[in-house]
Amino acid sequence: MSLLSLNHVSVGYGQNTILKDLNLNVEKGELVSLLGPSGCGKTTTLRLIAGFLQAKTGQFLFNNKNYTRVPINKRHFGFVFQNYALFPHLTIFDNVAFGLRLRKMDKKTIEKKVRDILQIVNLNGFEKRFPAELSGGQRQRVAIARALVIEPDLLLFDEPLSNLDANLRIAMREEIRRIQQELGITAIYVSHDQEECFSISDKVAILNHGMIEQIDQPKAIYQYPKTEFVAQFIGFKNFITCTKRDIHGNEAVFSTTHGKFRTKMSPGTKSETSLKLAIRPEDIELYTDIHSDTTGENFLTGQIQLSTFLGKSYQYKVLTPLGVFHVNCSSETQPLAVGTTINLFFPMDKLVNVD
Amino acid sequence: MKKNKAYLFLLPGLVFLLLFMIVPIILTISSTFKDQGQISFNGYIEFFKNKYFIQVLMNTLKVSLMTTLLCIVISLPVSYYISRIHGRMKSVLIALSVFPLLTSAIVRSFSWMIILGKNGLLNEILMNMHVIREPLNVLYTPTSMIIGLVHLFLPLMIISLVGVMENISDDLVQAAESLGASRFVAFRKIIFPLCVPGLIVGSILVFVGSLTAYTTPALLGGKQQVISVYLYQNAMTLNDWHAASIVATIMVAVTFVIVGLMNLTASKLNPRGENS
Ligand SMILES: Nc1ncnc2c1ncn2[C@@H]1O[C@H](COP(=O)(O)OP(=O)(O)OP(=O)(O)O)[C@@H](O)[C@H]1O
Ligand SMILES: [Mg+2]
């Protein structure tokens, strides 16, 4: 049994339904990220779990108990807000001690717990300051400490690092991961930053229009997106629409109007009707010499339409009979001129079959 | 253009205030310290020896304090509710809450007379429901004065509080609740302290307003005198302008002391007034 499960939950604001039929399972000790385009319902999902919003239908189980109607203050979850939501009239010490005092602990215990947690987030010595006297990164850490110190059953993060600069972001995400693993806390983490999600999560859930399109380990999602939306979202820019699929053992051959493409069967074989192939721009190989070795299965001929310098690489827009492809090539080689006819090679282990 | 020249625009206003407010106040106050051409405090000493005057002063302070406290108690939930809703309903509620300010003090007071009188609405209802056997004596007591003043000054408190409460983000309450606070505790520990600046502004407005109000206490207070009515009688009925000036000066001094005390309390309650 999972620690947390959302079963067929729908949530909305007024008449507007945001989450239609959400299902999510989180195991104890896991850090699960929610990733998706702006407005897809990530914050809404977190707020639902925290109890700030009520489900219209469906059920929220936590620890085998029905939490659907449990009030916020009885849930014992920590919430880290995007804008920190520190109490401006209280010192850092009092901010962190807020939850402990409500639990009627004695003074000594509170003092010890606050000092310990401030130690963990590297903020000892700041107890007497007020939130307005801290930097963004420091406030962020106070917000995390305040949520952590009550030893919550679940920790919810809503884009906790979005207001920080790039370096601090990387340092803080490692910090969050370290603390989460050290204390064995189950956490749900929302972010816009894919790298952030992939680097700190045990599992990533990709949301689209209030539905989870795919939930899996970061590596699995990165290599084998299940749907076209997920593929698109994580950087597969090229799609091939095929007409037929033949399976031979653990390989599959896809037919198109212009040639055949052989791929490895990805884990979780798709249904007969999924006839889309996806590949990242950096995974397509490009050949300028056209002869019998560079034609046939998994090859496609095209013409360069546009060349863009991206720093690390050049991106070519290549027009082929199967549509436009984006191909990235190392910028160390001589750039190819617009109009050059070239051959594209699609390595079979990089070509992914998606719904 | 030089920056200094911008101050020229302030000149007409300053001259007006100086001529018609500052100068008369100074003249009034300085006249109270003169007795037959000599500087003396006799007027004040006599006043503070006068038991009746002390009683009136205390009465006024009590009524003003009660009015302020009642306004705070009533306004807190009302303002919180108004500050949390949006759209048309909000404008309607704000308009409704300032309504008492738009009606004339005389009309308002007469309505309360009709409601609170010996054979008034309140007594009739209570007697018909057999809650009481004898009619209550509410009208012409401090209670009726306080009712009238609360009715008059509640809008000032509500508006001041809505102003600060609107700037308190919902996230703060939700943060408190997620840390285990009930709605009520979140209100007491988060919303209330953050409201203190608005509470002080509202209290000063209501308190000073009640202290100086004339029509409402004169009509609803009956024989119960307050300081503004006393001042009026000295000036207009007894034609004793010297005494009236002394009363006026005492009123100004009391006002300053009270406002100063309130500000002091505010800085104690809320060391960092700013919301972020
Ligand atoms: N208070 C609200 N009232 C009405 N609609 C809302 C409210 N809050 C959010 N929405 C709508 O719900 C949808 C989902 O919002 P949500 O905040 O969950 O998105 P999100 O995935 O967190 O987006 P972002 O990445 O931009 O934060 C959006 O279409 C938004 O317009
Ligand atoms: Mg959001």
Side-chain angles (χ1 to χ4, degrees):
Chain A
M1 214 28 216
S2 305
L3 179 69
L4 173 154
S5 27
L6 293 175
N7 299 324
H8 307 289
V9 166
S10 74
V11 183
Y13 300 99
Q15 295 295 312
N16 223 348
T17 307
I18 307 296
L19 307 177
K20 274 149 211 127
D21 181 28
L22 189 76
N23 293 289
L24 176 67
N25 291 304
V26 177
E27 309 299 328
K28 197 165 168 53
E30 266 185 345
L31 193 156
V32 174
S33 307
L34 304 180
L35 193 57
S38 188
C40 69
K42 305 183 291 291
T43 300
T44 308
T45 309
L46 274 199
R47 298 172 68 80
L48 166 83
I49 294 172
F52 304 157
L53 284 172
Q54 291 289 331
K56 278 184 182 161
T57 60
Q59 206 183 30
F60 169 28
L61 294 178
F62 190 82
N63 231 343
N64 289 327
K65 288 195 256 321
N66 188 347
Y67 264 50
T68 321
R69 298 273 174 257
V70 172
I72 311 171
N73 57 331
K74 297 278 180 325
R75 291 193 182 198
H76 201 59
F77 295 166
F79 200 105
V80 181
F81 292 81
Q82 184 172 352
N83 59 3
Y84 320 135
L86 299 181
F87 307 129
H89 59 299
L90 300 180
T91 60
I92 302 312
F93 184 93
D94 290 337
N95 261 282
V96 177
F98 190 88
L100 299 176
R101 293 211 171 110
L102 290 172
R103 282 165 181 73
K104 304 261 182 291
M105 293 185 181
D106 66 281
K107 242 180 152 174
K108 278 237 175 74
T109 320
I110 291 179
E111 210 150 287
K112 181 170 182 330
K113 279 182 186 262
V114 172
R115 295 219 187 283
D116 288 351
I117 204 78
L118 286 179
Q119 181 86 40
I120 288 180
V121 298
N122 251 326
L123 272 180
N124 30 5
F126 287 83
E127 289 87 350
K128 292 220 171 67
R129 297 224 203 157
F130 285 88
E133 297 165 342
L134 297 186
S135 75
Q138 290 166 337
R139 285 182 214 180
Q140 186 59 63
R141 281 178 278 164
V142 176
I144 294 173
R146 186 179 66 179
L148 272 176
V149 78
I150 60 169
E151 291 162 28
D153 296 330
L154 180 70
L155 199 48
L156 303 164
F157 292 96
D158 190 7
E159 303 198 33
L161 308 182
S162 58
N163 294 342
L164 308 183
D165 71 57
N167 287 333
L168 194 52
R169 241 163 48 199
I170 294 176
M172 280 302 299
R173 79 184 186 210
E174 286 164 0
E175 196 90 330
I176 287 177
R177 179 60 162 165
R178 177 179 66 76
I179 295 168
Q180 180 259 336
Q181 286 185 322
E182 214 170 280
L183 304 181
I185 290 177
T186 314
I188 302 181
Y189 190 96
V190 165
S191 171
H192 263 118
D193 188 332
Q194 296 191 16
E195 193 186 295
E196 197 173 300
C197 284
F198 284 128
S199 67
I200 70 167
S201 311
D202 295 302
K203 274 188 200 156
V204 175
I206 310 279
L207 256 78
N208 184 25
H209 292 307
M211 308 264 278
I212 291 181
E213 293 249 343
Q214 184 174 2
I215 174 163
D216 221 328
Q217 285 164 7
K219 191 151 185 247
I221 291 203
Y222 191 80
Q223 285 181 328
Y224 300 110
K226 279 214 176 79
T227 66
E228 186 176 349
F229 172 81
V230 175
Q232 185 109 39
F233 191 73
I234 61 172
F236 287 76
K237 278 186 106 160
N238 305 298
F239 294 91
I240 304 171
T241 310
C242 310
T243 50
K244 197 161 140 276
R245 184 178 85 168
D246 299 301
I247 295 178
H248 307 288
N250 58 359
E251 291 182 5
V253 175
F254 290 82
S255 312
T256 70
T257 47
H258 291 81
K260 286 180 192 280
F261 294 87
R262 185 180 291 273
T263 71
K264 284 239 170 66
M265 286 307 293
S266 46
T269 312
K270 307 289 183 311
S271 66
E272 200 64 38
T273 50
S274 50
L275 291 170
K276 271 239 157 79
L277 292 172
I279 190 165
R280 293 173 190 273
E282 58 269 28
D283 289 337
I284 300 178
E285 290 166 22
L286 193 148
Y287 295 94
T288 44
D289 45 342
I290 298 169
H291 45 78
S292 58
D293 272 0
T294 60
T295 48
E297 240 174 33
N298 287 25
F299 278 97
L300 196 59
T301 308
Q303 218 178 23
I304 295 180
Q305 269 198 319
L306 188 74
S307 146
T308 318
F309 181 60
L310 297 181
K312 244 191 332 210
S313 57
Y314 283 99
Q315 183 166 79
Y316 299 112
K317 228 170 121 180
V318 181
L319 183 66
T320 73
L322 288 176
V324 171
F325 285 84
H326 296 266
V327 186
N328 289 4
C329 279
S330 164
S331 60
E332 278 155 31
T333 57
Q334 203 59 22
L336 296 167
V338 171
T340 315
T341 302
I342 44 149
N343 251 355
L344 301 179
F345 175 63
F346 302 83
M348 70 183 262
D349 52 343
K350 297 288 167 63
L351 213 45
V352 184
N353 183 200
V354 297
D355 280 325
Chain B
M1 190 167 126
K2 269 202 207 151
K3 208 183 157 197
N4 288 347
K5 285 204 182 135
Y7 290 115
L8 283 178
F9 290 110
L10 290 175
L11 212 57
L14 278 178
V15 169
F16 182 87
L17 278 180
L18 201 68
L19 273 184
F20 296 105
M21 190 171 147
I22 311 284
V23 171
I25 287 179
I26 290 175
L27 286 180
T28 307
I29 293 179
S30 61
S31 77
T32 61
F33 294 104
K34 276 196 205 121
D35 196 12
Q36 283 141 14
Q38 281 185 321
I39 293 183
S40 103
F41 298 95
N42 278 344
Y44 287 95
I45 294 169
E46 257 170 54
F47 254 100
F48 284 107
K49 273 191 193 152
N50 182 344
K51 282 230 178 75
Y52 181 62
F53 172 73
I54 297 294
Q55 197 202 325
V56 169
L57 184 64
M58 286 302 148
N59 203 9
T60 314
L61 287 177
K62 243 193 276 170
V63 165
S64 306
L65 205 67
M66 272 310 290
T67 306
T68 313
L69 285 179
L70 275 174
C71 280
I72 291 176
V73 171
I74 298 172
S75 298
L76 276 173
V78 173
S79 307
Y80 187 58
Y81 180 73
I82 293 180
S83 73
R84 295 295 109 165
I85 57 173
H86 301 281
R88 232 177 75 194
M89 199 54 196
K90 183 173 200 158
S91 336
V92 170
L93 285 181
I94 287 188
L96 277 181
S97 57
V98 297
F99 207 71
L101 287 179
L102 306 178
T103 49
S104 120
I106 299 188
V107 174
R108 215 175 332 99
S109 301
F110 273 114
S111 340
W112 280 116
M113 286 177 177
I114 293 170
I115 295 171
L116 300 176
K118 205 154 198 137
N119 303 313
L121 203 60
L122 181 73
N123 276 325
E124 208 166 293
I125 292 175
L126 289 180
M127 298 227 311
N128 280 341
M129 284 169 64
H130 300 287
V131 182
I132 49 170
R133 231 177 276 152
E134 296 282 302
L136 291 173
N137 245 334
V138 186
L139 191 58
Y140 307 131
T141 64
T143 310
S144 65
M145 243 192 286
I146 291 170
I147 291 176
L149 289 171
V150 167
H151 185 201
L152 172 60
F153 290 118
L154 199 59
L156 299 180
M157 187 65 89
I158 291 180
I159 297 296
S160 313
L161 280 182
V162 168
V164 284
M165 283 178 172
E166 271 178 339
N167 290 325
I168 301 173
S169 135
D170 275 338
D171 290 351
L172 291 186
V173 180
Q174 285 171 346
E177 285 185 83
S178 74
L179 291 169
S182 63
R183 271 284 156 86
F184 178 73
V185 171
F187 186 89
R188 191 164 59 80
K189 295 210 161 177
I190 306 300
I191 303 277
F192 183 75
L194 291 174
C195 278
V196 166
L199 218 50
I200 294 300
V201 172
S203 300
I204 289 174
L205 290 175
V206 173
F207 189 85
V208 173
S210 315
L211 199 72
T212 52
Y214 174 76
T215 320
T216 307
L219 290 176
L220 294 176
K223 276 197 227 117
Q224 296 287 329
Q225 281 218 336
V226 291
I227 197 163
S228 57
V229 180
Y230 186 72
L231 170 83
Y232 176 85
Q233 283 175 350
N234 269 304
M236 298 319 225
T237 318
L238 307 176
N239 226 342
D240 184 352
W241 286 90
H242 185 68
S245 300
I246 289 177
V247 177
T249 308
I250 293 173
M251 274 173 85
V252 171
V254 167
T255 308
F256 271 106
V257 169
I258 298 288
V259 170
L261 281 179
M262 282 181 179
N263 276 325
L264 207 70
T265 329
S267 55
K268 285 253 170 61
L269 278 177
N270 190 9
R272 312 274 140 152
E274 72 263 336
N275 298 336
S276 67

